[in-house]
Amino acid sequence: MNLGALKSGNFRAYVFGAAFGLLAIWMQRIVMSWLAWDMTGSPSFVGFVALLLFAPAIVLSPLVGVWVDRVNVKRAMLMVQGGNIFLCAALWAIVALGWITPFLLALFAFLIGVLIAASHPVRMAMTPRLVRREHVSSVVTIVAINFNIARMVGPAVGGVMIAQIGVAHTLLLQWLLFVPYLVVLSRLSLRPRRESGGAQEPFFKALGAGLRYVWQVKAVREAMFVAGMLALVARGALEVLPPLADGVFARGADGLGALMSVTGLGAILGGFSKAALPPQAPGRLPLLTRLAIVLGLLLVAFLGLAPTWQIALAVAAGISYVTTLTAISTQTAIQLDLEDDMRGRVMSLWAVIAAGGAALGAGGVGVLADLMGFQKALVWCGSLSALSVAGYLTLVSMKK
C-alpha cells in the first residue's frame, strides 16, 4: 500500500496530533448543523450555515495561498489553529449562557469559515514538507485517511454527546481536543523549500502565476474540473444532512450522527482503496477518477429516492466513498510535480473549488429543498449534473 510517508517520525507525529484536531473539527460541524436545524427547523437555514462555513474560501483561499508561499508555514498553521481554539471557546460560552441565536450562529459560522479558508492552503503547503519528495503522494493519501477517520468518529461522538450531555458540554469537549494538536504542531520540523524569488514578487503578480500554472497544465486543469463538479453536487448534498435525518426519516440528532458517521466510513474505505491502487503517475488523472465522478453524481439522485433509512445510509456512504477517492486523486495529480514555493498558491485554488463548490452546493440544495422538497431536490440535482458531466467527458474523450 502507498503508505511510505509513515516511515518519517516527523510525519507520524503530525498524523497523531491531527487526529485530535480533526475530531474536534468534525464535532464542531455536527453541533453547528444541529443547532441550525434545532433553532429553526428550516433546511434553507441549515444550508445557509453550511454556506457560511465554506463560502469564505472562495474569496480568501487564493489570497492566503500567496501569503503562505511567503511566510513560515508552520507559524501560519499555529496561528490558524489558535484561532480555532479561541472561536470554539467563545461559541461554548455563548451556548452555555443561553445567548445563542440564529444570527450569532451564522456569525460564528462565517468566522469559522474564514479560518477554514486559511487552514486548507496552509495544511496542503505544510504536510508535503514533513517528508522527502518521493513520499508526497503517500502524504496526500494518509492525510485523507486520517481526515476521514475523524469524519466517521467525530459526528458519531458529537451526535451521542449532544443527546446525552447537551450541546454546551459537547462544545467544551471539542475545545479540549484542540490542545494536543497545537502541542504537536509546535514540535514539527519541515523540509526547506526552494527559494525562487517568488516571495519578492508583487502580491497579485504572484497570484497570477498560480492561476497561469493551473490553466496551462492540462492534468491540473482537468483535476480542478472534476473536483469542482463533485464538490458542487455530491459534497454539497452531504453538507445538508439534518433535513434528511430528521425531516425525512425522523431520526433526530442520533440519526444525524449515524448518517454522518457512515459517510465517514465510506470516506475511509475510499482512502484505503486509493492507497491499495498502484501509485498515481504524474501528468495525468486516472481513468477511474473520471468515471467515478459520474457515479458519485448519480448516487446523489439515488439518495433522494431512498425508500428506507438503511438504504439512505448505504447510498450516503457510497457518495462519500466516491468523493474521497476522487479528491485524493485530484490532489495527488496536482501535488506530484509542484514545487514547494508554489504549493500555497496552487493548492489554495484547489481548496476554492472543493470547499467553495460544497458551500454553493449546500446553499443551492437548501433553497431547492424549501421549494420542492428535500428528496426531489436531490433527484433533480444528481440526475442533471450526472448527465451534463457524462456528456462533457465523452466529448473530451472523442477529441483526444
Side-chain angles (χ1 to χ4, degrees):
M1 297 184 76
N2 187 22
L3 303 176
L6 290 175
K7 294 176 183 178
S8 165
N10 195 44
F11 182 68
R12 289 198 303 272
Y14 170 79
V15 171
F16 172 77
F20 289 93
L22 290 168
L23 182 62
I25 288 168
W26 278 105
M27 288 177 64
Q28 182 184 67
R29 289 190 187 180
I30 193 173
V31 168
M32 297 188 75
S33 185
W34 178 252
L35 278 172
W37 175 252
D38 191 47
M39 284 192 293
T40 67
S42 168
S44 60
F45 186 70
V46 175
F48 178 62
V49 168
L51 179 67
L52 291 174
L53 282 170
F54 294 106
I58 300 173
V59 176
L60 297 179
S61 282
L63 305 180
V64 173
V66 178
W67 173 67
V68 167
D69 286 338
R70 295 164 178 251
V71 301
N72 183 312
V73 70
K74 175 181 168 181
R75 191 174 301 146
M77 188 69 159
L78 287 168
M79 289 174 58
V80 170
Q81 298 309 326
N84 260 330
I85 284 186
F86 173 78
L87 287 179
C88 182
L91 181 60
W92 163 70
I94 288 173
V95 171
L97 291 169
W99 296 347
I100 192 67
T101 64
F103 172 78
L104 284 176
L105 182 64
L107 177 61
F108 271 93
F110 173 75
L111 294 175
I112 291 168
V114 170
L115 290 178
I116 290 173
S119 66
H120 287 307
V122 172
R123 173 178 54 81
M124 289 186 284
M126 187 188 78
T127 51
R129 292 176 55 198
L130 296 172
V131 300
R132 298 195 305 271
R133 286 191 64 89
E134 59 265 30
H135 292 312
V136 168
S137 65
S138 178
V139 165
V140 176
T141 300
I142 295 167
V143 167
I145 291 172
N146 199 33
F147 178 88
N148 287 301
I149 288 174
R151 182 179 176 178
M152 180 182 73
V153 177
V157 172
V160 171
M161 291 296 99
I162 290 170
Q164 297 298 321
I165 63 175
V167 172
H169 287 89
T170 303
L171 286 169
L172 177 61
L173 175 61
Q174 174 217 337
W175 179 81
L176 293 173
L177 287 170
F178 271 116
V179 176
Y181 188 26
L182 276 181
V183 172
V184 169
L185 286 174
S186 68
R187 301 169 66 89
L188 295 176
S189 59
L190 274 61
R191 169 169 51 81
R193 69 182 172 195
R194 182 186 72 170
E195 295 299 337
S196 63
Q200 283 71 49
E201 286 183 326
F203 190 89
F204 288 102
K205 183 177 179 181
L207 176 61
L211 291 168
R212 284 194 302 274
Y213 180 90
V214 171
W215 181 254
Q216 292 169 0
V217 180
K218 181 180 177 181
V220 174
R221 195 168 64 240
E222 185 177 3
M224 293 285 187
F225 168 76
V226 170
M229 287 302 300
L230 206 57
L232 183 66
V233 179
R235 285 276 310 280
L238 292 179
E239 293 296 334
V240 196
L241 291 178
L244 182 68
D246 195 44
V248 176
F249 291 103
R251 296 282 173 158
D254 288 339
L256 177 60
L259 193 56
M260 294 185 72
S261 292
V262 297
T263 63
L265 176 60
I268 292 170
L269 294 176
F272 278 109
S273 295
K274 179 61 180 174
L277 293 170
Q280 192 166 318
R284 66 185 182 88
L285 200 61
L287 176 62
L288 176 63
T289 300
R290 285 178 271 142
L291 296 174
I293 183 175
V294 179
L295 174 60
L297 296 170
L298 285 173
L299 286 175
V300 173
F302 292 152
L303 183 62
L305 296 170
T308 67
W309 174 244
Q310 290 73 21
I311 292 176
L313 290 173
V315 175
I319 295 172
S320 186
Y321 176 92
V322 172
T323 54
T324 300
L325 186 66
T326 303
I328 297 173
S329 294
T330 54
Q331 271 199 69
T332 302
I334 299 168
Q335 289 268 33
L336 280 178
D337 291 327
L338 203 55
E339 289 291 344
D340 290 332
D341 62 340
M342 283 285 288
R343 290 192 194 279
R345 280 168 283 179
V346 174
M347 295 313 300
S348 68
L349 297 173
W350 186 92
V352 168
I353 289 173
L360 293 174
V365 170
V367 170
L368 287 175
D370 280 342
L371 293 175
M372 64 174 67
F374 187 74
Q375 291 168 296
K376 283 185 179 179
L378 293 181
V379 171
W380 280 103
C381 289
S383 301
L384 293 177
S385 59
L387 287 172
S388 300
V389 172
Y392 170 81
L393 293 177
T394 301
L395 287 175
V396 170
S397 299
M398 290 173 63
K399 288 181 180 180
K400 292 180 182 179

